[in-house]
Amino acid sequence: MNEVKWYTQDEKAVEATLQTNMQQGLDWKEAKQRLRRVGPNQLQDQSQISAFAILLNQFKDFMVLVLLAATLVSGLLGEYTDAITIIAIVVLNAILGFVQEYRAEKSLIALKELTAPTAHVIREGKLEEIPASELVPGDIIYFEAGDRIPADLRLFETKGVNIEESALTGESVPVYKEAVQVIRDENVSLGDQYNMAFMGTLVTRGSGQGIVVATGMDSQMGQIAELIQTTESIQTPLQHRLEQLGKVLITVALILTAIVVFTGIWHGHDAYKMFLAGVSLAVAAIPEGLPAVVTIALALGVQRMIKRKAIVRKLPSVETLGCASVICSDKTGTLTQNKMTVTTMWLNNQLIEVTGSGYEPKGKFYKEGGHTLTHAQQSLVSQMLEFGVLCNNATLSEEAEVDGGLLKKKKTYWDITGDPTEGALMVAGAKAGIWKNKLNQTYQRLEEFPFDSARKMMTVYVTTSDGHRKVVTKGAPDVLLERCTHVIWNGRKTPLTDHIRQHIIKANDRLAGMALRNLAIAYRDAGPHELQNEFQAEQHLVFVGLFGMIDPPREEVKQAISECKQAGIKTVMITGDHQKTAEAIAQQLGIRQQGSMSINGTELENMGQQAFEDIVEDVTVYARVSPEHKLRIVKALQKKGHVVAMTGDGVNDAPAIKASDIGIAMGITGTDVSKEASSLILSDDNFSTIKAAIEEGRNIYENIRKFIRYMLASNVGEILVMFFAMLAGMPLPLVPIQILWVNLVTDGLPAMALGVDPSEKNVMSIPPRERKESIFARGLGWKICSRGLLIGLATLAAFWLTLQNHPDDLIRAQTIAFATLVMSQLIHVFDCRSEKSIFHRNPFENKWLILAVLTSTLMLLGVMYLEALQPIFRTVSLSVQEWIFVLFFAALPSVALAFTHVFNSKKERR
């Protein structure tokens, strides 16, 4: 525990601190230089598939240099056409690569300062407003409602201070603060340190003064920021798999290319030509565009996700979200609305249900079970709501905001100013047509006795226009009940007997068991001169009833959690709120089910690491936890092999967000710290958006598998054509320029078009992938090898048969092989759209793929039918019969395997 947490209400300690500063002649500027402050986090974005891209591009660059060197030799030997063409193709490839990389670049959101911009400080007896960054320990800070605390303060003067600390503790209800001594105890949480105000928290009520005890990185917020900086970001599954893939590709390409070259030389081919063909084959075989295509696929997915209210900061995280097996979600503001709402009223020995959510004043009142209220019951409910609005300092108003876009539509929303609990009463009153401005025309407030922790009550003294005076009090039920002598019972004022008191206590316990925060309301008639202080005012009260309120779950979250469960994804609630409240919300949302566990921060703190890891997969609710606990939970789940998504909005969530496989921050209520630590930001703060992001992430990964399958199978086919031809002692089926053109035509546009392929229907009905799953899992490796082998054999067969029929026309045979190889790859791209077969999906679903294939076909036809290009690419025009021959062999691999799949499926069903 940090030492600054334990300042007490010893005024001598305060004076000693100030006196020490004065004796040392503390110079504020010098002190400022010595302080460590919270600055913008220099977090590195991982939007590039860096290791994979660097590996492939470095090898590709080396081979291109070798190819250019060989081309230079060709030019010196007088083969200018070949040299110029090869250079042109290399330049076109470079341009395509540049365009791909340019499209893949994404800018990051600008970093923001974490500290409050200004602070009101008392120096030399004067109140000054200075930049918060100039504060030093020993400064005296004055603050009031609406201010953000600029540093960690030990409070020594308070007047009804309430501070909203949800960014640090996760609790949506403001904490009452007072200048009292806190006993030193290692188990006292931040939320229970009532004599401290922490940097970055918001004052919702009252005013006070405090001495600065910690600034910058020494503050509670600073320590959490330091946790973020020292927490290592882990490598995503996609990055890890692609890095391994790059090494395999280079090794295999080098070995096979070397075998092709040496085999060709051994069979008597010209060494220089074989060397040039081998280098061209190596250049074509390495899919250097794959990292860029992967990045483009992720970037296009990002654009789709933005439309679905999810903003991606790190591209690889999109894929990672698709294989998440656990979502660790904060409660306040993520699963709930972060809007205290009256859901239940208990009065006249009856339970009243209140509908509606949020701050919008729309809702109805029903008796328990959904029965309509009688006129008498409506009158009692209205009276209780009127008292709740009278004894209140919050305001409810309709705000306007301009929606972006060309039309600049104006939207409105309801919001409260002031304490959330009082705001909930204002909204409940408005649902019944009781508005504060209307009551002010009837009632005039004569006196207010603010809430304090000793009394646990607030009281107002009001008078009507006809001179009738009332005292209205609200407060903690157990305390307020002790001040009551009468009660509204059976519709009239009745003496409060022990029997009725027990009914009220049971009702209070029942509402508490529903995880509701209860507030009692009472009143009494008063004379004009009998009230001199709060003690006199808060006696002989008439108990009216109980308000039960809660920060309600988001309406759409339950369905989203259910769909995540169907997809094999477990949702875990991690909150700083009370355990009973957390359990109740988790029960409503379907997070907590039979057999699952719930533990709090103290239990977690006292639990050994091994014991915790043994139960971590059974726990669905964590309550009253600290930032260190959240980090521990995430790491324990990761150790169990889970891919963990951590959602949150507060500063306390940030370290775990960064340490998780995929960090998700709230865009509206999220703090800057949590956003900077995250990989994904939900612009609508809606948990259901996570489900949409998971669906998109899974589809993106499947699309990545599709074009890896396509590009590698195509490249395997290219290598095997040359490999088998050299083993058989045949002439070269492809010349170097054709090999390079095949690479340019087939590896670019079709692969990119696969990146926008629509998802298959079952994408959210299958379990998440294992963290260690290979990119070649689920038969992908076999499909690449088998399709590549068939493409190579089909191309070689077309070449050999043509050569048999036209033994003196090698160029025609090479043209047939060239066309067969390209067309087999363009047909194979449709086969890659499904894990099953080419006939499983409608080929016209992906219009971009149709356009890409047509473009590539035109590029092929151009070098075959334009007379100026024929001598350069060693091609001739083909007849209709020859095209039928080409298309037969080109389609053979995909069609043959499709029928094999159909046969095997029928066999499995039988």
Side-chain angles (χ1 to χ4, degrees):
M1 287 293 202
N2 193 308
E3 198 173 290
V4 302
K5 295 178 185 177
W6 308 111
Y7 280 77
T8 68
Q9 179 58 12
D10 184 355
E11 293 301 330
K12 293 182 179 179
V14 178
E15 293 175 6
T17 303
L18 296 174
Q19 190 65 29
T20 300
N21 289 342
M22 295 297 292
Q23 290 174 354
Q24 291 177 348
L26 183 63
D27 182 88
W28 305 112
K29 292 183 179 180
E30 289 181 6
K32 178 184 174 184
Q33 297 295 326
R34 298 200 302 263
L35 291 177
R36 293 176 296 151
R37 290 188 172 80
V38 180
N41 292 311
Q42 303 302 316
L43 302 179
Q44 297 297 318
D45 180 61
Q46 298 176 358
S47 61
Q48 302 299 321
I49 317 296
S50 54
F52 183 43
I54 291 171
L55 191 66
L56 291 187
N57 285 330
Q58 285 180 345
F59 178 75
K60 181 71 175 236
D61 292 343
F62 172 73
M63 297 308 296
V64 167
L65 288 175
V66 174
L67 179 62
L68 291 176
T71 303
L72 179 61
V73 174
S74 294
L76 293 176
L77 294 176
E79 298 188 22
Y80 303 113
T81 303
D82 281 359
I84 293 171
T85 305
I86 290 174
I87 290 173
I89 293 174
V90 170
V91 170
L92 283 174
N93 265 306
I95 292 172
L96 179 62
F98 172 76
V99 171
Q100 289 173 333
E101 290 292 343
Y102 179 77
R103 290 192 64 193
E105 288 296 326
K106 293 291 179 181
S107 60
L108 295 177
I109 300 171
L111 299 176
K112 296 181 179 180
E113 292 286 344
L114 304 179
T115 51
T118 59
H120 295 95
V121 60
I122 300 175
R123 288 180 177 173
E124 298 179 355
K126 297 179 181 179
L127 182 64
E128 304 175 24
E129 184 175 357
I130 66 170
S133 59
E134 295 183 5
L135 290 174
V136 295
D139 270 332
I140 299 297
I141 301 297
Y142 171 81
F143 58 86
E144 57 189 13
D147 288 349
R148 206 165 273 283
I149 301 297
D152 284 2
L153 311 178
R154 205 279 289 156
L155 305 176
F156 61 85
E157 181 179 308
T158 56
K159 296 180 180 178
V161 174
N162 280 259
I163 298 180
E164 197 268 310
E165 297 180 336
S166 64
L168 278 171
T169 65
E171 291 189 62
S172 56
V173 180
V175 178
Y176 180 75
K177 298 287 185 176
E178 55 186 335
V180 296
Q181 181 173 349
V182 174
I183 300 173
R184 185 179 181 118
D185 184 348
E186 294 299 320
N187 291 323
V188 175
S189 65
L190 289 178
D192 295 328
Q193 295 176 32
Y194 303 116
N195 68 340
M196 293 292 296
F198 301 105
M199 185 175 79
T201 57
L202 180 66
V203 182
T204 61
R205 179 193 286 176
S207 62
Q209 296 184 52
I211 182 171
V212 175
V213 295
T215 61
M217 296 300 285
D218 291 326
S219 67
Q220 289 299 314
M221 181 180 286
Q223 289 173 28
I224 294 173
E226 191 170 15
L227 274 177
I228 301 170
Q229 294 171 356
T230 57
T231 301
E232 296 182 1
S233 297
I234 65 172
Q235 191 180 43
T236 71
L238 179 62
Q239 289 172 311
H240 180 68
R241 294 180 194 123
L242 290 181
E243 188 174 348
Q244 292 179 325
L245 176 61
K247 297 174 182 177
V248 172
L249 288 178
I250 290 174
T251 303
V252 173
L254 279 175
I255 292 173
L256 292 179
T257 302
I259 292 174
V260 168
V261 173
F262 288 116
T263 305
I265 295 173
W266 183 59
H267 279 288
H269 288 283
D270 182 74
Y272 170 71
K273 289 184 177 180
M274 285 307 307
F275 175 75
L276 191 60
V279 174
S280 300
L281 189 59
V283 171
I286 296 300
E288 81 290 347
L290 186 54
V293 174
V294 170
T295 308
I296 289 169
L298 293 172
L300 293 174
V302 166
Q303 294 174 12
R304 293 193 296 269
M305 291 175 73
I306 288 174
K307 295 178 181 178
R308 303 179 79 169
K309 308 297 184 182
I311 301 170
V312 176
R313 297 184 67 248
K314 301 172 185 176
L315 293 184
S317 63
V318 179
E319 176 273 334
T320 313
L321 185 60
C323 60
S325 57
V326 176
I327 300 176
C328 295
S329 176
D330 186 35
K331 177 183 73 69
T332 305
T334 307
L335 298 173
T336 64
Q337 300 177 22
N338 201 17
K339 297 177 180 179
M340 289 299 293
T341 305
V342 174
T343 60
T344 305
M345 296 170 62
W346 185 90
L347 69 158
N348 199 35
N349 198 26
Q350 289 182 327
L351 198 68
I352 307 298
E353 298 172 353
V354 185
T355 65
S357 62
Y359 295 146
E360 189 172 8
K362 290 183 180 180
K364 296 184 178 181
F365 299 81
Y366 297 100
K367 287 192 294 183
E368 187 175 11
H371 302 292
T372 305
L373 298 179
T374 64
H375 179 74
Q377 290 166 338
Q378 289 178 358
S379 178
L380 291 174
V381 168
S382 296
Q383 181 189 43
M384 182 170 166
L385 291 170
E386 186 175 291
F387 288 150
V389 174
L390 280 174
C391 190
N392 204 310
N393 289 320
T395 59
L396 173 65
S397 59
E398 191 174 21
E399 306 292 338
E401 65 177 0
V402 178
D403 189 15
L406 296 175
L407 298 180
K408 299 289 184 182
K409 293 182 180 179
K410 191 174 182 180
K411 298 193 301 184
T412 59
Y413 65 96
W414 290 89
D415 199 8
I416 64 164
T417 303
D419 182 79
T421 300
E422 293 191 341
L425 298 181
M426 296 294 291
V427 174
K431 290 176 181 178
I434 300 171
W435 295 86
K436 193 171 187 177
N437 56 353
K438 293 182 180 179
L439 289 181
N440 288 340
Q441 297 173 9
T442 306
Y443 293 92
Q444 178 184 355
R445 184 180 293 189
L446 302 176
E447 184 69 77
E448 175 189 343
F449 302 110
F451 177 90
D452 66 49
S453 62
R455 292 165 37 245
K456 296 184 179 180
M457 288 183 290
M458 172 191 174
T459 298
V460 293
Y461 180 34
V462 297
T463 181
T464 61
S465 55
D466 59 2
H468 186 71
R469 303 192 178 198
K470 286 182 183 293
V471 171
V472 182
T473 302
K474 72 174 189 293
D478 55 339
V479 176
L480 190 60
L481 195 58
E482 294 298 319
R483 306 292 183 95
C484 295
T485 57
H486 290 74
V487 62
I488 301 297
W489 199 260
N490 294 326
R492 63 179 185 273
K493 180 179 175 182
T494 304
L496 180 59
T497 64
D498 290 339
H499 176 72
I500 296 177
R501 188 185 299 271
Q502 289 302 314
H503 271 285
I504 297 173
I505 293 172
K506 286 180 179 179
N508 185 55
D509 291 342
R510 181 185 175 188
L511 297 186
M514 297 163 60
L516 298 177
R517 182 169 184 261
N518 299 337
L519 192 67
I521 198 88
Y523 81 100
R524 76 177 178 92
D525 296 322
H529 304 296
E530 60 184 277
L531 299 182
Q532 298 179 8
N533 53 49
E534 61 267 30
F535 179 77
Q536 288 184 349
E538 295 163 353
Q539 299 293 333
H540 310 295
L541 298 172
V542 180
F543 188 90
V544 178
L546 300 167
F547 288 105
M549 58 191 73
I550 196 170
D551 180 11
R554 292 180 178 270
E555 295 178 358
E556 65 282 349
V557 165
K558 186 173 183 178
Q559 178 65 24
I561 290 173
S562 175
E563 291 181 11
C564 287
K565 182 180 178 182
Q566 183 181 355
I569 303 166
K570 177 183 177 181
T571 303
V572 175
M573 178 190 291
I574 305 178
T575 179
D577 212 338
H578 295 280
Q579 192 164 356
K580 281 189 176 181
T581 303
E583 289 174 351
I585 295 293
Q587 192 81 30
Q588 292 180 40
L589 293 175
I591 294 175
R592 190 173 186 226
Q593 297 176 343
Q594 190 172 6
S596 63
M597 296 176 62
S598 168
I599 62 175
N600 59 46
T602 302
E603 293 170 335
L604 181 58
E605 187 70 34
N606 296 328
M607 192 177 296
Q609 185 62 25
Q610 186 57 52
F612 175 53
E613 289 177 4
D614 290 341
I615 66 165
V616 67
E617 293 183 297
D618 298 323
V619 180
T620 55
V621 177
Y622 296 89
R624 283 297 197 189
V625 293
S626 68
E628 293 82 2
H629 293 152
K630 296 185 179 186
L631 202 57
R632 184 181 175 189
I633 294 165
V634 169
K635 290 185 175 180
L637 286 167
Q638 288 173 333
K639 193 171 180 180
K640 286 288 186 178
H642 290 284
V643 176
V644 182
M646 172 68 191
T647 75
D649 57 358
V651 175
N652 59 335
D653 300 319
I657 284 176
K658 187 182 178 186
S660 64
D661 299 271
I662 170 73
I664 308 170
M666 301 298 110
I668 299 174
T669 59
T671 60
D672 292 337
V673 184
S674 64
K675 291 177 185 177
E676 293 305 327
S678 70
S679 303
L680 186 73
I681 299 174
L682 305 182
S683 62
D684 59 354
D685 285 14
N686 194 332
F687 185 90
S688 63
T689 304
I690 299 175
K691 175 259 174 184
I694 288 174
E695 182 177 359
E696 195 63 57
R698 289 187 172 192
N699 184 46
I700 287 171
Y701 181 74
E702 291 307 312
N703 286 348
I704 290 173
R705 278 171 51 92
K706 289 173 187 177
F707 56 71
I708 286 177
R709 170 183 168 183
Y710 166 68
M711 295 178 79
L712 295 190
S714 299
N715 291 354
V716 167
E718 294 168 16
I719 292 176
L720 292 182
V721 169
M722 302 294 287
F723 179 68
F724 291 143
M726 294 304 96
L727 285 180
M730 299 168 63
L732 282 175
L734 299 168
V735 296
I737 292 176
Q738 291 173 344
I739 295 172
L740 293 173
W741 193 252
V742 170
N743 179 55
L744 181 66
V745 168
T746 61
D747 280 7
L749 296 177
M752 291 173 62
L754 279 176
V756 295
D757 206 37
S759 62
E760 296 196 64
K761 296 179 180 179
N762 66 338
V763 70
M764 286 299 288
S765 61
I766 57 177
R769 302 181 305 278
E770 294 290 335
R771 178 194 292 271
K772 297 180 180 179
E773 179 184 285
S774 167
I775 197 79
F776 300 109
R778 291 178 277 149
L780 184 63
W782 161 250
K783 289 173 183 174
I784 289 172
C785 293
S786 61
R787 271 60 164 184
L789 176 63
L790 289 176
I791 288 172
L793 290 175
T795 302
L796 192 61
F799 172 74
W800 182 77
L801 289 173
T802 304
L803 199 59
Q804 294 298 307
N805 293 329
H806 305 279
D808 299 326
D809 196 349
L810 178 60
I811 292 180
R812 182 168 299 278
Q814 289 175 332
T815 303
I816 293 286
F818 177 45
T820 303
L821 183 61
V822 172
M823 293 309 298
S824 64
Q825 293 183 25
L826 296 182
I827 293 173
H828 174 60
V829 74
F830 292 98
D831 189 20
C832 295
R833 295 186 62 234
S834 173
E835 292 285 341
K836 296 178 180 178
S837 73
I838 194 171
F839 302 121
H840 186 67
R841 300 190 67 183
N842 182 357
F844 297 101
E845 283 180 338
N846 190 338
K847 296 179 181 179
W848 291 109
L849 185 59
I850 298 292
L851 183 61
V853 169
L854 289 176
T855 303
S856 296
T857 304
L858 289 175
M859 292 175 70
L860 169 66
L861 296 176
V863 299
M864 291 175 58
Y865 287 93
L866 294 177
E867 293 184 3
L869 297 178
Q870 286 179 340
I872 297 174
F873 286 90
R874 309 291 195 275
T875 59
V876 294
S877 301
L878 300 181
S879 65
V880 175
Q881 291 81 3
E882 287 173 324
W883 268 112
I884 294 174
F885 178 79
V886 166
L887 292 176
F888 171 79
F889 279 97
L892 194 59
S894 295
V895 174
L897 289 170
F899 281 115
T900 302
H901 174 79
V902 172
F903 174 77
N904 290 334
S905 297
K906 289 183 178 179
K907 187 177 179 180
E908 288 175 4
R909 285 196 293 270
R910 286 198 299 267

